[in-house]
Each structure stands twice: as structure tokens, then as C-alpha cells.
Amino acid sequence: MKKDIYIIANWKMQLSNQGAADLALSLKNYKPSLIGQNLELVLCPSFTALVAVSEAIRDSNIKLGAQNAFYHESGQYTGEVSSTQLKDLGVEYVIVGHSERRKYCGENDDSVNRKIKVVLEQGLTPIVCLGETPEERLEKKAEVTIIRQLTKALEDVDLSGERRIFLTYEPVWAISPAPPATPQEVDEMTQLIRQLVRDIYGDGIFEKKIKFIYGGSVDAQNVNSFLENDMVCGALVGGASLTMDKFVPLIKKLIT
Ligand code: PGA
């Protein structure tokens, strides 16, 4: 049986509202019967484009994701957006702790942990990003960073019931235009992350509750090399998800 594959399109701050809606509509019209079978496609546009994209993908199997959510549900938090507000728009997934937010927006291990809890409480699925910087890798501190990020991210996180989490290994040094990590490097981190999840929650939880995906310069040429790993069930795709020219060949690799 084919494994379920999850492709999360992270459009970052890169498309106009109209551009995002047009791309979403083109994706909806592309082999609609195949997307949603063993391939779950999640589009994560800017907040401003969520409504337009939500309308574009209506009556399709394509899912809506956000790139962030605040760790309070409502209140005097100028400029923030809550999980409840996102849920109202039909959002099902929320990216939490992307390295660009850690680098430019003051995101840290503590806020990531708080956001995961709130996202889960709203019945949404967090897509948690973990990854070391190029300096940390050079200094052979990659594992230390991943252990720190993941341990704090999952602190007191309840995974009972229907709750599940996506964990993304996305090393900062592999985000485009840099070359991707090798499948071997991804495999090493996958094993470390699986072990950590087992240490925290016990046996069986990684398999039942965690969807493990890779991010960093994934494209049509290399996507299957990461998916060959049994533990990897998808990818967080930035640059290669921004145009039909690049995204359709990637999707084709997964559904044909
Ligand atoms: P990339 O971005 O695919 O362009 O490397 C991925 C990401 O940063 O989520």
C-alpha cells in the first residue's frame, strides 16, 4: 500500500492575494481526483490571502494552513492573529517555529511551545519546524540544537485523543537557494528525533501521533529521495511551490 504523503506549501511573504488565489485555483483544477487520495496538499499563504485561498480551494481536498499563530486566543495583542481566528477561516494547519520567524521575529523555544499548545487546543495541527543554523552544524552542535528545540517544543504537550503533530526537520543551511540536506543527513536527524519522541512519550507515539517531514530546497528532482526513508512522510516546500511550473512536476512525482 502506498504511504500517505503530506506536501506543505509555505508561500512565505511572496505572493499577492490575487497571485495566491490564482495559484490555489490552478492547483485545485489540476487532477483534483488525485490530490487527497494518498497525497495531502496544504497551502500556507500569508494571513492576508487566507480568505481568497480558502475560497479558491472550496470543494476540493486541498487544505488550508497558516504560517504562524499567537499563543493567546484573544486580547490586547496588536498585530497578532489567534488560532481561533484562523480556525474561523477554515485553517487546519499552522506552521510553528519556522527558522525565519526565529531569526527575524523573536520566535524562541518557549513561544514555540506555547503556540503548539494553543494550536492543539483549537483542534488544529501544528507543523513544528526544527533545524540548526549553518554555524551550529559547523561547530558540530546540530544534535544539541535539535534536542533543545524539540524537548522544549514538546514540554507538557498533550497528545491524547485525535491530536497529532507534524515535526519538520528543516536545517537553516538547506533552505533555498542553498543545496538541500542529503537523505543521509535527514535520516540521521530523523532517528534522533524519533528517539527523543520515544523518550518523552514512550513507544508507539512517534508512529501514531507524529508526521515527520523534511524541509529545505525540496523540488521535483529530489522529493522522492527524501520520501524513500520510511519515517519521512512529506515535505515543507517553499520556493518550488510558488509557481505551477515548479510545483506541478513535484506533485506529479508523488501521484503517478
Ligand atoms: P525552500 O523553503 O523550499 O525554498 O527551501 C522551505 C521553507 O523555508 O519552509
Side-chain angles (χ1 to χ4, degrees):
M1 201 179 86
K2 275 187 173 174
K3 67 177 171 182
D4 291 337
I5 294 170
Y6 300 82
I7 296 295
I8 319 296
N10 178 10
W11 289 348
K12 307 192 180 185
M13 197 179 71
Q14 307 202 80
L15 295 170
S16 65
N17 294 343
Q18 191 59 52
D22 289 348
L23 181 54
L25 195 59
S26 303
L27 288 164
K28 173 179 156 175
N29 291 333
Y30 175 75
K31 297 207 177 181
S33 57
L34 289 173
I35 292 173
Q37 281 189 14
N38 77 314
L39 173 65
E40 178 129 316
L41 186 57
V42 182
L43 305 182
C44 304
S46 299
F47 286 140
T48 49
L50 282 168
V51 170
V53 170
S54 159
E55 276 162 17
I57 61 177
R58 184 174 298 149
D59 299 325
S60 78
N61 289 320
I62 300 176
K63 309 284 185 188
L64 191 61
Q67 298 174 20
N68 183 36
F70 196 46
Y71 47 72
H72 286 294
E73 281 310 339
S74 75
Q76 293 168 303
Y77 304 107
T78 303
E80 293 294 344
V81 175
S82 75
S83 294
T84 331
Q85 292 170 324
L86 295 171
K87 197 175 165 183
D88 270 359
L89 299 180
V91 165
E92 292 180 56
Y93 291 86
V94 181
I95 299 174
V96 181
H98 191 282
S99 60
E100 287 150 12
R101 293 202 56 80
R102 293 181 194 253
K103 182 172 176 188
Y104 303 114
C105 309
E107 191 84 272
N108 58 38
D109 295 336
D110 183 57
S111 59
V112 168
N113 173 252
R114 297 174 73 182
K115 288 179 178 187
I116 293 170
K117 288 176 182 160
V118 174
V119 168
L120 283 169
E121 271 159 28
Q122 285 305 317
L124 309 179
T125 301
I127 299 167
V128 182
C129 298
L130 311 164
E132 77 281 4
T133 62
E135 296 76 25
E136 287 164 336
R137 178 147 282 249
L138 273 177
E139 290 165 16
K140 308 223 170 303
K141 290 184 184 152
E143 281 84 2
V144 177
T145 299
I146 298 300
I147 292 168
R148 191 203 72 231
Q149 289 178 343
L150 184 60
T151 309
K152 183 64 194 174
L154 295 180
E155 190 178 274
D156 299 326
V157 169
D158 173 8
L159 282 183
S160 61
E162 296 296 301
R163 294 171 172 219
R164 59 184 185 146
I165 290 191
F166 278 56
L167 293 178
T168 312
Y169 175 54
E170 183 170 81
V172 180
W173 48 268
I175 293 176
S176 66
T182 63
Q184 171 67 26
E185 286 163 334
V186 176
D187 186 49
E188 283 162 18
M189 280 306 183
T190 313
Q191 294 197 37
L192 174 72
I193 289 167
R194 184 176 60 173
Q195 190 52 50
L196 279 168
V197 171
R198 284 182 176 164
D199 292 347
I200 297 169
Y201 290 103
D203 285 347
I205 293 297
F206 184 88
E207 291 72 15
K208 270 197 224 128
K209 296 288 187 173
I210 306 291
K211 299 285 176 202
F212 185 82
I213 65 176
Y214 166 73
S217 297
V218 174
D219 62 19
Q221 277 69 48
N222 62 31
V223 65
N224 275 320
S225 67
F226 299 109
L227 292 169
E228 272 164 23
N229 183 333
D230 281 349
M231 290 179 284
V232 178
C233 66
L236 181 59
V237 185
S241 70
L242 285 170
T243 60
M244 287 297 276
D245 278 4
K246 288 187 180 159
F247 206 17
V248 164
L250 188 156
I251 293 170
K252 268 190 186 162
K253 289 276 170 71
L254 307 172
I255 60 178
T256 47

